[in-house]
Amino acid sequence: MEHTDARHLKVSSGNSRSIERYDAALELFNGYYGDPLTLIENALAEEPDFMMGHAMRAGLLVTAGDGAVMPMLRQALEQADAHLGRANEREQRHLAAARAWLEGDFCRANRLYGQIVVDYPRDLLAIQVAHLTDFFLGQSSMLRDRVAQVLPHWNAAVPGFSHVLGMHAFGLEETFLYEQAEERGRFALEINARDPWAIHAVAHVMEMQGRTDDGIEWLQARAADWSQDNMMAVHNWWHLTLFHLERCDTERVLALYDERIRSGHSAVALDVIDASAMLWRLCLRGVDVGDRWKELADTWEARGAEGQYAFNDVHAAMAYLGDDRPAAFARLVAAMERAARGSGANAAMSRDVGLPVVEALIAYEARDYDRVIELLGATRLIAQRFGGSHAQRDVLNLTLIEAALRGGNTRLAQALAAERTELKPMNPSLHRLAQRVRALAIEDDLEAAEQRTSPVAAVQRAA
Ligand SMILES: [Fe+2]
């Protein structure tokens, strides 16, 4: 008798209790709820050669996007290897894909998971791992199209359909198809309101369209569905905080930072990234963030795992600069330089994006604004290569704008402000930006007039 999971995909185990646990763990993973890893480890403790359990544990660790879990992934794959003879073809392919990730060949891992998706379009584990690795690799079009590949094989009767729609919504958003993205995300939530990825996808639409009030209302009204016992919780709080930041409500931003983003002192990569990005944004605005950098820099230092994923490293750099830790910063840069000389996806990410951005950040701290402009002016155009979302990478645009303003580069400040105001309706942040650009231009005019009328200038002109 053949044994299958909830979507009728064959599994090599005949243990129905293991398969039930697999389906339950996958459901948790789909919604980023609870602790799917412990659930699947319990299944593996009872049935050590439960190969789909091994595949899931490996997939969960891959999607952490965190060098800190690589030792766990190594151990997980060693345990799986001891039973590899039992694995069916699909299970073997899952483990091969995870092994490529462990070896640092992120692109190959992504391709292998993608090939499983093509051959088994209802393999929701493969779909989600491929989706998240598309995210880490900055493959925006595949965030959309990989999910589109499987849609003909799904409908509301297949368990997990809402999650497929939620992933598609995010891919549509990251490829600027905002109306379709919002429609798809709302459809996903009609089927299953407790889908934080779909809620998050629609929040991204609102962020990109500058719908500040809508965004706050959207996330607050659904907080019960995303904020409890959820891996995406800090990230969705971060999105809510971004909307308040656009309103220039820094008091609320700091309160949310303390009460939601850093209340648990999480050391999870996704959480410390968001914390760094938020404090950096506040500092760009000249907001006094008190001693918040210290706690965050301590957490980044304790994590280690530097030089394994450039996107994370850039956010660690913000914390080290924010708390003025030159030794930690130098160690981080050395790790990134070593990574850049290596092979695999992170070598290119570190070389092309990570290191130039980190150099721009330290130039910004040193008030060498011309250098910031030179570095970020070029790097922001290819920054998707180191992963993340448009909303996350916007911190590079904001740093560039601030460098133009502080460095007195009026033309560039005007151009970047015009670029930004064309994309979003007027809000307090944009208004403040426009005022600062105008003030800079007036200052330039005054200086020019002064030069024209000053006796020294007149003598210089005559000479
Ligand atoms: Fe996001």
Side-chain angles (χ1 to χ4, degrees):
M1 181 189 154
E2 269 180 3
H3 298 276
T4 59
D5 69 6
R7 279 157 289 273
H8 308 299
L9 291 163
K10 284 183 213 167
V11 289
S12 57
S13 170
N15 185 331
S16 58
R17 191 171 147 85
S18 295
I19 299 169
E20 273 167 30
R21 279 172 163 172
Y22 170 80
D23 284 327
L26 183 54
E27 204 177 329
L28 288 179
F29 176 49
N30 294 154
Y32 301 91
Y33 277 106
D35 187 358
L37 191 59
T38 298
L39 191 55
I40 211 66
E41 277 179 345
N42 290 342
L44 286 168
E46 266 185 36
E47 190 191 354
D49 60 351
F50 174 40
M51 299 317 291
M52 209 52 221
H54 284 293
M56 168 167 279
R57 179 164 66 177
L60 293 175
L61 294 170
V62 165
T63 60
D66 189 348
V69 307
M70 284 300 198
M72 287 170 74
L73 179 57
R74 183 178 303 282
Q75 203 182 22
L77 288 173
E78 280 168 7
Q79 287 177 16
D81 283 348
H83 308 283
L84 207 54
R86 192 190 182 187
N88 67 23
E89 182 254 7
R90 184 173 65 97
E91 293 161 346
Q92 282 181 20
R93 288 171 66 176
H94 267 273
L95 293 165
R99 203 166 294 112
W101 188 267
L102 176 69
E103 287 162 1
D105 197 343
F106 299 162
C107 296
R108 182 158 180 273
N110 172 262
R111 274 199 307 280
L112 292 176
Y113 277 116
Q115 286 163 9
I116 302 172
V117 172
V118 169
D119 291 337
Y120 299 95
R122 285 193 181 178
D123 185 335
L124 193 48
L125 176 65
I127 296 169
Q128 192 165 337
V129 177
H131 188 64
L132 291 173
T133 56
D134 284 331
F135 177 75
F136 296 135
L137 291 170
Q139 297 177 167
S140 308
S141 63
M142 287 314 285
L143 283 171
R144 178 194 63 203
D145 296 339
R146 196 182 304 286
V147 190
Q149 289 174 357
V150 305
L151 283 176
H153 303 271
W154 285 80
N155 57 57
V158 186
F161 183 46
S162 79
H163 300 297
V164 174
L165 296 173
M167 285 187 259
H168 196 216
F170 184 63
L172 289 164
E173 179 278 326
E174 285 295 300
T175 49
F176 314 110
L177 298 168
Y178 299 132
E179 272 179 40
Q180 290 177 56
E182 183 164 349
E183 182 268 334
R184 189 116 296 189
R186 286 180 184 271
F187 180 30
L189 293 164
E190 272 172 34
I191 298 171
N192 172 17
R194 281 171 66 78
D195 186 341
W197 191 257
I199 294 171
H200 167 252
V202 177
H204 263 271
V205 171
M206 292 165 174
E207 169 65 27
M208 297 308 288
Q209 294 183 321
R211 291 159 57 192
T212 312
D213 295 348
D214 285 353
I216 291 171
E217 152 74 22
W218 175 258
L219 285 171
Q220 278 180 345
R222 287 169 175 75
D225 292 325
W226 59 259
S227 64
Q228 302 296 322
D229 193 24
N230 198 276
M231 211 190 88
M232 294 282 296
V234 165
H235 186 65
N236 276 326
W237 284 118
W238 177 80
H239 273 283
L240 180 62
T241 311
L242 275 188
F243 290 122
H244 286 290
L245 192 62
E246 283 297 283
R247 284 180 166 183
C248 293
D249 186 353
T250 48
E251 225 170 275
R252 184 89 186 102
V253 170
L254 287 170
L256 282 168
Y257 180 90
D258 294 338
E259 292 160 18
R260 303 298 188 179
I261 294 177
R262 290 310 295 158
S263 54
H265 303 286
S266 162
V268 171
L270 179 66
D271 300 344
V272 279
I273 284 168
D274 288 343
S276 279
M278 187 50 66
L279 289 188
W280 188 264
R281 278 165 151 89
L282 286 164
C283 290
L284 290 175
R285 290 168 177 247
V287 175
D288 179 2
V289 300
D291 59 1
R292 290 176 179 85
W293 279 121
K294 184 183 180 315
E295 179 271 336
L296 192 57
D298 282 345
T299 310
W300 274 109
E301 281 215 64
R303 279 174 40 84
E306 291 166 352
Q308 299 196 35
Y309 181 37
F311 189 77
N312 294 1
D313 292 337
V314 160
H315 290 86
M318 290 175 186
Y320 297 154
L321 290 171
D323 199 47
D324 193 18
R325 296 190 188 192
F329 184 83
R331 189 196 57 227
L332 172 75
V333 171
M336 293 178 76
E337 285 171 343
R338 270 195 305 279
R341 289 193 295 271
S343 59
N346 190 49
M349 286 176 179
S350 301
R351 193 175 53 238
D352 298 344
V353 186
L355 283 166
V357 169
V358 164
E359 197 192 329
L361 298 180
I362 199 161
Y364 181 86
E365 287 293 296
R367 302 181 184 194
D368 183 354
Y369 299 121
D370 288 344
R371 185 71 182 136
V372 177
I373 290 166
E374 191 184 337
L375 287 161
L376 290 186
T379 312
R380 73 176 182 133
L381 308 178
I382 56 163
Q384 75 279 2
R385 288 184 197 167
F386 84 155
S389 64
H390 294 297
Q392 286 174 311
R393 291 189 301 266
D394 195 31
V395 73
L396 305 184
N397 296 322
L398 294 168
T399 307
L400 178 61
I401 291 172
E402 203 53 46
L405 287 166
R406 293 187 191 208
N409 190 332
T410 310
R411 291 282 191 206
L412 182 62
Q414 284 172 327
L416 294 172
E419 191 183 291
R420 210 166 176 81
T421 46
E422 196 56 37
L423 290 173
K424 295 181 179 185
M426 189 48 70
N427 66 33
S429 279
L430 286 173
H431 185 66
R432 187 167 163 267
L433 173 62
Q435 274 183 326
R436 290 179 68 199
V437 171
R438 252 196 315 275
L440 200 60
I442 291 168
E443 215 175 282
D444 276 0
D445 287 348
L446 286 175
E447 261 176 42
E450 209 171 277
Q451 281 204 352
R452 277 198 302 275
T453 55
S454 88
V456 178
V459 169
Q460 280 172 345
R461 272 200 302 278

